Amino acid sequence: MMKIAGSTVLLTGANGGIGRAIAHALAARGADLIVSGRRAEALRSAMSGLSVRTVVADLAEAADVERLAEEAGNVDILIANGALPASGALLDYTPEQIDRSLTVNLRSQIMLCRLLAPAMSEAGRGHIVLVGSLSGKTASPAASLYNATKFGLRGFAHGFRQDLHGTGVGVSVVQPGFVRDAGMFAATGAAPPGKVRTVSPEQVATGTIRAIEHDRAEVDVAPAELRLGSSIAGLFPALAARVQRLALKDGALERIVAGQRHNR
């Protein structure tokens, strides 16, 4: 069991609702926190009331990722939570926007693991959490690029976990479903489609803590029907696609895509 109290933790994407909830959960357990985000003012505001060390870094820039790892130093726990929404039809993206989404959502996470895992392995203890999404198990319309990064992140997490087996370093992927008061719904003001139930950022934080403390390979944070649906969709993708098209007829998808377009 990995002890969070007294451990040095690097948390990326700390300026968002999920990142803020994870930071508070870690602080309550006595972690020594290093937090990172792209915008200094937003990061300071999100971490108000917490004793943390901040490192401003843009995960789209390779040099910033390397600098972040260097400034963080030897950490016991990495929580890679930073990501871009990447919603919308692929044909609407420029090549530069595609590169940015792939870099932030996948390459930067892999590079942080590559840069920070050796010291954990040498110490014989540590944990890495990659915050993904149920979109890494179930493809969705107008989300092919996002799906690609989250499917890739899930595959990397499970493969890297096997690479580190026996070193004392665990690897987990935490996969939220629809999260209220954070992410795409907070950013766009759009309501979740149909009668789909949501989870809170605090529930995602609880799932993250559980992954660390119990060395879980995968933690899905979503209502039971979404967890079941994502598992079935992996076996029957064509059926899942038909169900999703019916569920998204209320225009929620269009509102989400329109609201996130400026974040590409």
Side-chain angles (χ1 to χ4, degrees), residues 236-257:
F236 305 102
L239 173 62
R242 288 197 294 272
V243 171
Q244 288 190 35
R245 283 193 293 271
L246 290 173
L248 292 169
K249 281 186 174 180
D250 63 356
L253 181 62
E254 289 77 8
R255 292 192 295 273
I256 291 169
V257 171

Side-chain angles (χ1 to χ4, degrees), residues 79-138:
I79 302 176
N81 173 61
L84 291 174
S87 296
L90 181 67
L91 301 185
D92 291 338
Y93 278 76
T94 65
E96 293 76 18
Q97 289 171 333
I98 292 172
D99 285 343
R100 180 175 175 81
S101 296
L102 292 172
T103 298
V104 172
N105 289 9
L106 185 57
R107 185 186 186 278
S108 70
Q109 323 287 32
I110 294 173
M111 284 304 301
L112 284 172
C113 291
R114 174 63 185 86
L115 294 166
L116 296 173
M120 296 184 194
S121 183
E122 185 176 345
R125 68 182 296 271
H127 204 91
I128 294 168
V129 176
L130 303 172
V131 180
S133 167
L134 285 187
S135 292
K137 299 177 74 172
T138 307

Side-chain angles (χ1 to χ4, degrees), residues 1-9 26 29 31 75-78 120 123-129 167-172 208-216:
M1 181 175 177
M2 183 74 189
K3 299 283 188 184
I4 294 176
S7 294
T8 300
V9 182
L26 291 167
R29 284 163 176 76
V75 302
D76 303 302
I77 299 170
L78 165 66
M120 296 184 194
R125 68 182 296 271
H127 204 91
I128 294 168
V129 176
T167 66
V169 182
V171 180
S172 305
T208 301
I209 297 297
R210 186 165 71 250
I212 296 168
E213 291 184 337
H214 299 285
D215 191 22
R216 298 289 178 84

